[in-house]
Amino acid sequence: MEENNGTTLGDILKPILKVKWLVLIITAVITLVGTLIINFAYNPTDTYYSMDFSLLLPEDDGNVIYTYPDGKKMHFADIVAADALAEVKQSDPDKFKDIDVSKIIDKSAIGIARNVTVRNSENAVPEVTYTITLKSQFVKDYNIARQYLTELASRPIKYLSSLETNHFVYYDLSEKADDYESELELLESQLDYVISEFEKLSETYGENFKADGKSITAHLNEIIAYKDKDRLGSLAIKVREEGILKNESVISEYEMKLKDLTKQRDLAQATLDNLLSTGSSSQGNVIYVDATVIKQQSDLVESLNQQIETVNKYITGKNVDSTFETRYIKTERDIIKAYTETLKSVASEAYVKSSAVTFLSVNAVVREGGISLVISILISLFVGVVISLIAGYVTGKVILNKKEQSIADVVTEPAPQTDKE
């Protein structure tokens, strides 16, 4: 009896070799079809221009929304918003003429991601970086794409460098004032505003931060020294004591003001008299009145009386002096204007010095995408070989079995019989 030693490698290869051309054809077809499916359906081979960068902005607290010094807010996604794409293209129409902004927007071909890295140290400030990606099919030229994305990333810095904050609010109002008293009060408010802004800059950038030729502390001390001289206050006292007017047309306004002040004074006086008269009631019960309340009410009456006296001087004196502006106020106005111009220059320089965009890769832009063509071919080839070998083995086995069966049928067929004579 013949012993069965099991299936050998030869037993497996023999059916496959029998249909080797079929195996090769199946392998080739599956490899081709698989490569196409991987690259165009399962994992498209779209490539992207990708740019990594970080932003250094003044007073940035690391949130997704940044507030510029002028109060304007920017969400990080605004860097690639539709208006930003259009604005960058318009900044150099010749260079970026082939970039179709509307198509990029319609196909959602551009995006930005915010990446936050937290260090292990307790007091470490999280590092924030950004990544802009743009499908390469919408910008064929690598260098143009690099320049375009660089301009997009740099927009916040350019906005800061061109920032025009109106630091002359009170100053401009003072020029329109109808009377010297109001003009001097507005100039005083302008001076206080300048000092306040310099204090904010000092707190944000440090006392020794240098801008416009010297430190912020030096600028601030100079302005405070001027304020301490109280020149504006002295001029205001002179105007009130002498009842100096810019012109007679303002007298009618003072007359209306006098009526209003008189009503306020009369009401305040009546309240004061009432407080003083309630020391005891008709029944003789003592009522205690807070002395602080009486003092406050008395001071109010005195203040209103002084204002009435001053307004009366303007009305009755009719002391119009159109030269008071040029003789006295203009000198102080010019000084305050110069301090405001310095504030504007220092603030602008501080914003620029404390802001920057840093690109985290040497060439700024790199290409990336789905599975590469070589990898997809290898995957498809492997699948094709496995399937074709299985199909080849099954097909070859069937063919061999049929052949063996035919041979067996021939061997077992009985010999034809002949007639005996």
Side-chain angles (χ1 to χ4, degrees):
M1 188 176 177
E2 190 176 332
E3 211 177 290
N4 187 357
N5 294 323
T7 303
T8 64
L9 180 61
D11 295 333
I12 296 174
L13 292 177
K14 186 175 180 181
I16 294 174
L17 293 174
K18 186 69 177 176
V19 289
K20 56 181 177 295
W21 290 111
L22 177 63
V23 171
L24 292 173
I25 291 171
I26 292 174
T27 301
V29 171
I30 291 177
T31 300
L32 176 61
V33 173
T35 301
L36 294 175
I37 291 174
I38 291 174
N39 281 276
F40 294 101
Y42 174 71
N43 194 343
T45 55
D46 286 341
T47 57
Y48 292 84
Y49 298 112
S50 178
M51 172 180 286
D52 297 319
F53 65 96
S54 63
L55 286 172
L56 176 63
L57 303 172
E59 301 181 52
D60 186 7
D61 55 8
N63 290 328
V64 295
I65 296 178
Y66 171 71
T67 303
Y68 289 106
D70 64 350
K72 179 181 178 181
K73 296 186 181 297
M74 178 199 73
H75 190 282
F76 77 91
D78 294 339
I79 294 174
V80 294
D83 58 340
L85 301 180
E87 183 179 312
V88 170
K89 178 174 180 175
Q90 290 303 315
S91 66
D92 197 335
D94 292 334
K95 182 191 296 183
F96 302 130
K97 65 178 183 297
D98 294 330
I99 296 179
D100 192 330
V101 172
S102 60
K103 278 189 177 180
I104 292 175
I105 296 170
D106 291 342
K107 300 297 182 181
S108 300
I110 194 167
I112 185 169
R114 182 173 178 268
N115 318 300
V116 181
T117 303
V118 180
R119 302 299 179 187
N120 293 329
S121 175
E122 286 186 14
N123 300 321
V125 178
E127 294 180 6
V128 180
T129 60
Y130 303 91
T131 303
I132 299 179
T133 53
L134 172 64
K135 286 186 178 181
S136 60
Q137 68 189 80
F138 293 92
V139 186
K140 300 299 183 184
D141 189 282
Y142 174 90
N143 290 321
I144 296 298
R146 177 178 59 81
Q147 294 174 47
Y148 187 69
L149 295 186
T150 299
E151 290 295 321
L152 283 173
S154 303
R155 283 184 76 249
I157 308 303
K158 290 187 176 180
Y159 180 80
L160 281 167
S161 64
S162 64
L163 201 59
E164 287 290 340
T165 303
N166 183 11
H167 296 291
F168 289 86
V169 176
Y170 298 110
Y171 183 90
D172 292 340
L173 289 173
S174 72
E175 290 185 317
K176 301 173 184 177
D178 294 328
D179 59 274
Y180 292 131
E181 190 175 2
S182 297
E183 180 179 352
L184 290 166
E185 287 176 356
L186 287 165
L187 285 175
E188 188 77 47
S189 297
Q190 179 67 28
L191 185 61
D192 291 339
Y193 167 78
V194 171
I195 291 174
S196 174
E197 289 298 303
F198 265 110
E199 288 174 342
K200 290 179 183 177
L201 289 171
S202 177
E203 183 180 344
T204 302
Y205 302 107
E207 296 178 352
N208 298 322
F209 184 91
K210 289 189 175 181
D212 200 31
K214 53 187 177 183
S215 69
I216 291 179
T217 302
H219 286 296
L220 181 58
N221 289 339
E222 180 184 340
I223 301 170
I224 291 176
Y226 169 78
K227 179 177 174 58
D228 288 344
K229 294 177 182 178
D230 199 20
R231 293 180 181 177
L232 295 172
S234 299
L235 289 176
I237 292 172
K238 182 177 179 64
V239 167
R240 286 193 293 268
E241 288 182 346
E242 299 179 16
I244 303 173
L245 300 172
K246 274 190 175 183
N247 51 67
E248 288 190 8
S249 63
V250 77
I251 291 178
S252 60
E253 294 181 15
Y254 278 120
E255 289 174 342
M256 294 176 63
K257 186 175 182 179
L258 178 61
K259 291 180 180 179
D260 182 56
L261 287 171
T262 301
K263 287 181 180 179
Q264 292 183 49
R265 191 273 315 273
D266 293 345
L267 179 60
Q269 183 65 54
T271 303
L272 177 61
D273 293 341
N274 184 55
L275 288 171
L276 293 172
S277 66
T278 55
S280 63
S281 64
S282 59
Q283 286 79 17
N285 297 323
V286 178
I287 300 175
Y288 295 95
V289 179
D290 190 342
T292 303
V293 174
I294 293 177
K295 178 66 169 61
Q296 290 175 346
Q297 193 65 26
S298 178
D299 290 343
L300 175 59
V301 171
E302 180 61 26
S303 174
L304 290 168
N305 279 327
Q306 288 179 1
Q307 293 180 56
I308 289 171
E309 183 181 349
T310 299
V311 172
N312 268 322
K313 286 181 181 178
Y314 291 131
I315 297 172
T316 58
K318 296 182 180 180
N319 182 14
V320 178
D321 185 358
S322 59
T323 65
F324 190 83
E325 174 79 36
T326 55
R327 286 188 297 126
Y328 298 104
I329 298 180
K330 186 179 185 304
T331 301
E332 313 311 320
R333 176 180 290 281
D334 290 344
I335 292 173
I336 293 172
K337 181 179 181 181
Y339 286 148
T340 308
E341 290 286 0
T342 301
L343 168 64
K344 180 180 177 181
S345 175
V346 169
S348 178
E349 191 173 339
Y351 299 153
V352 172
K353 283 185 176 180
S354 61
S355 61
V357 56
T358 304
F359 299 102
L360 307 179
S361 55
V362 177
N363 296 321
V365 178
V366 295
R367 291 178 182 272
E368 59 183 24
I371 297 175
S372 68
L373 182 61
V374 173
I375 298 299
S376 61
I377 289 175
L378 290 175
I379 293 173
S380 301
L381 178 62
F382 174 77
V383 174
V385 168
V386 171
I387 293 175
S388 63
L389 287 176
I390 294 172
Y393 177 80
V394 172
T395 305
K397 193 71 174 174
V398 170
I399 293 174
L400 288 175
N401 287 341
K402 286 183 176 181
K403 186 175 181 181
E404 289 175 359
Q405 184 63 42
S406 297
I407 293 173
D409 291 342
V410 171
V411 172
T412 57
E413 184 180 340
Q417 296 182 354
T418 56
D419 295 332
K420 294 182 180 180
E421 290 182 355

